[in-house]
Amino acid sequence: MKLSVFAPLVVMIAIGAGLGVGLTNDPRALPSALVDKPLPDFNLPPVRAEDRGFKHDDVKDEVALINIFASWCISCRIEHPTLMRLADEKRIPIYGVDWRDKREDGAAWLAAFGDPFELVGEDQSSKLAIELGVTGAPETYVIDRTGRIRYKQIGPITEDVWRQVIEPLILSLEDEAAS
Amino acid sequence: MKSSPLIALIIVLSTLASLNAGAVLPDEVLANPVLEARARAISKELRCVVCQNQSIDDSSAPLARDMRILVRERLVAGDTDGQVKAYLVERYGNFVLLRPPVQADTLVLWLGPALFLLTAFGEFAIYLRKSKTHPAIISQPPLSDEEEALLERIKRDAA
């Protein structure tokens, strides 16, 4: 029997293996098209009662996080303790964007679970969300000192994500700025 | 049940007709029918990034609605169809297009099926040519002496 009769079998196994590897990819882990691009311009109305909202020029000359959250977002409650800890330790300024939410609901949510944000703006019609390429909540953008987006975290910042991904990145960005 | 194929056809056709409705809500529709038609056509080509395998025209996700409204706002502002799509590609990457553009890293995707088909036809042509020059591949091998003898005996017995 000639070995070439096995060729179709080998080809099928190769295709199967390729597709099998594809199955292990996370379809939600989309590459961000905005990494290394400047933060787009925006000016959001306030969520908290005695507040002025959140606009582009508020993030200036600092390494900061911009967190997309909402009162309807269940995973946001998972990352909330981590954000609260970072705020308590004054580790890094965190700004909030209350996405597709009623202002009262957003304010009530912050009152109930704690408020880690320097400033909070509301984005009811996804204006800023689409500018940033948001695909869901929570999402967190890491901004460097020159005002560029350097990383987009899709999904909650758990303690693990903070330790393994965000904190090392922030340390390197702070070094980058110092040198 | 003689009429069941007909009933099935009616069900399929009515389902197809309702597919065209999309998820566009009345308050999103533009007054200008030409712009609205362009908006619908563009929306069908844009992926809803929440539900991923639906277009924003099909999806009832809140973000898809906001994207449909954005598409219409940009058309009203005078953007071409290409500019509207480019605006979203800049923010979401090529992923937002349901029909990926032909470029270096998508060539395999676009040409792969054609290559498979050509290879299959090529192999088949080679097989046909071989079977013509080597009849042994399709025709039976000649009978052995033993079989010839057996055949002769059967013929004789029958006569």
Side-chain angles (χ1 to χ4, degrees):
Chain A
M1 198 156 53
K2 274 195 288 181
L3 272 178
S4 63
V5 299
F6 290 111
L9 185 66
V10 171
V11 170
M12 283 315 293
I13 290 175
I15 291 174
L19 295 177
V21 169
L23 279 180
T24 64
N25 291 342
D26 180 5
R28 304 237 153 231
L30 308 177
S32 175
L34 280 174
V35 166
D36 288 340
K37 298 229 177 95
L39 187 63
D41 196 24
F42 60 91
N43 190 356
L44 302 176
V47 170
R48 301 179 294 211
E50 65 308 334
D51 208 1
R52 59 183 173 82
F54 175 38
K55 61 181 191 299
H56 176 271
D57 292 345
D58 292 329
V59 189
K60 224 176 199 161
D61 202 28
E62 60 187 1
V63 180
L65 299 181
I66 297 180
N67 178 248
I68 314 290
F69 76 101
S71 67
W72 48 261
C73 158
I74 300 302
S75 326
C76 295
R77 300 181 190 190
I78 297 171
E79 71 174 1
H80 207 65
T82 309
L83 297 184
M84 289 304 292
R85 178 178 70 78
L86 295 174
D88 285 344
E89 293 171 4
K90 303 203 181 305
R91 177 67 190 83
I92 183 170
I94 308 173
Y95 298 96
V97 174
D98 188 13
W99 177 45
R100 265 202 149 272
D101 206 1
K102 286 201 191 94
R103 184 175 309 182
E104 316 85 78
D105 292 350
W109 194 83
L110 290 176
F113 292 96
D115 184 350
F117 301 123
E118 304 279 321
L119 294 165
V120 189
E122 55 130 356
D123 185 22
Q124 277 194 31
S125 56
S126 303
K127 278 267 149 44
L128 175 61
I130 294 174
E131 284 286 340
L132 286 173
V134 165
T135 59
E139 266 178 29
T140 305
Y141 293 81
V142 179
I143 314 297
D144 72 8
R145 265 180 221 271
T146 62
R148 281 181 306 154
I149 297 167
R150 296 299 287 271
Y151 181 73
K152 164 174 156 182
Q153 165 68 25
I154 296 178
I157 301 181
T158 55
E159 288 291 337
D160 280 349
V161 170
W162 167 257
R163 223 174 15 245
Q164 287 162 17
V165 183
I166 314 269
E167 190 173 33
L169 174 66
I170 285 169
L171 287 173
S172 80
L173 288 182
E174 285 166 346
D175 275 358
E176 190 175 277
S179 60
Chain B
M1 286 282 277
K2 247 186 154 182
S3 59
S4 60
L6 187 67
I7 293 174
L9 185 71
I10 290 172
I11 292 175
V12 167
L13 284 181
S14 55
T15 317
L16 285 179
S18 68
L19 276 182
N20 192 35
V24 184
L25 297 176
D27 64 323
E28 298 170 20
V29 175
L30 295 175
N32 181 337
V34 180
L35 281 186
E36 177 62 21
R38 278 172 62 199
R40 290 297 301 269
I42 295 172
S43 301
K44 286 195 172 78
E45 302 248 305
L46 292 173
R47 186 191 300 275
C48 164
V49 289
V50 181
C51 13
Q52 301 213 345
N53 287 326
Q54 276 186 310
S55 72
I56 60 169
D57 193 62
D58 284 333
S59 171
S60 51
L63 183 58
R65 173 185 157 88
D66 290 341
M67 284 169 93
R68 285 195 300 270
I69 293 172
L70 178 104
V71 164
R72 284 166 173 77
E73 280 173 2
R74 299 207 67 88
L75 285 179
V76 169
D79 273 16
T80 65
D81 295 6
Q83 281 169 331
V84 175
K85 284 187 205 166
Y87 178 89
L88 282 162
V89 168
E90 245 173 67
R91 283 152 185 83
Y92 285 97
N94 280 333
F95 181 76
V96 80
L97 300 174
L98 282 170
R99 191 203 311 262
V102 183
Q103 57 189 38
D105 61 345
T106 59
L107 275 185
V108 177
L109 184 69
W110 281 102
L111 299 183
L115 277 178
F116 263 108
L117 200 63
L118 280 180
T119 317
F121 275 131
E123 288 286 328
F124 189 55
I126 292 170
Y127 171 81
L128 282 184
R129 185 121 43 99
K130 259 191 197 159
S131 59
K132 215 176 271 171
T133 47
H134 304 280
I137 294 178
I138 42 175
S139 65
Q140 299 282 346
L143 298 179
S144 66
D145 290 346
E146 226 170 286
E147 288 164 333
E148 287 285 2
L150 184 66
L151 185 63
E152 278 306 311
R153 210 165 54 229
I154 294 172
K155 276 183 183 166
R156 231 186 1 247
D157 288 352

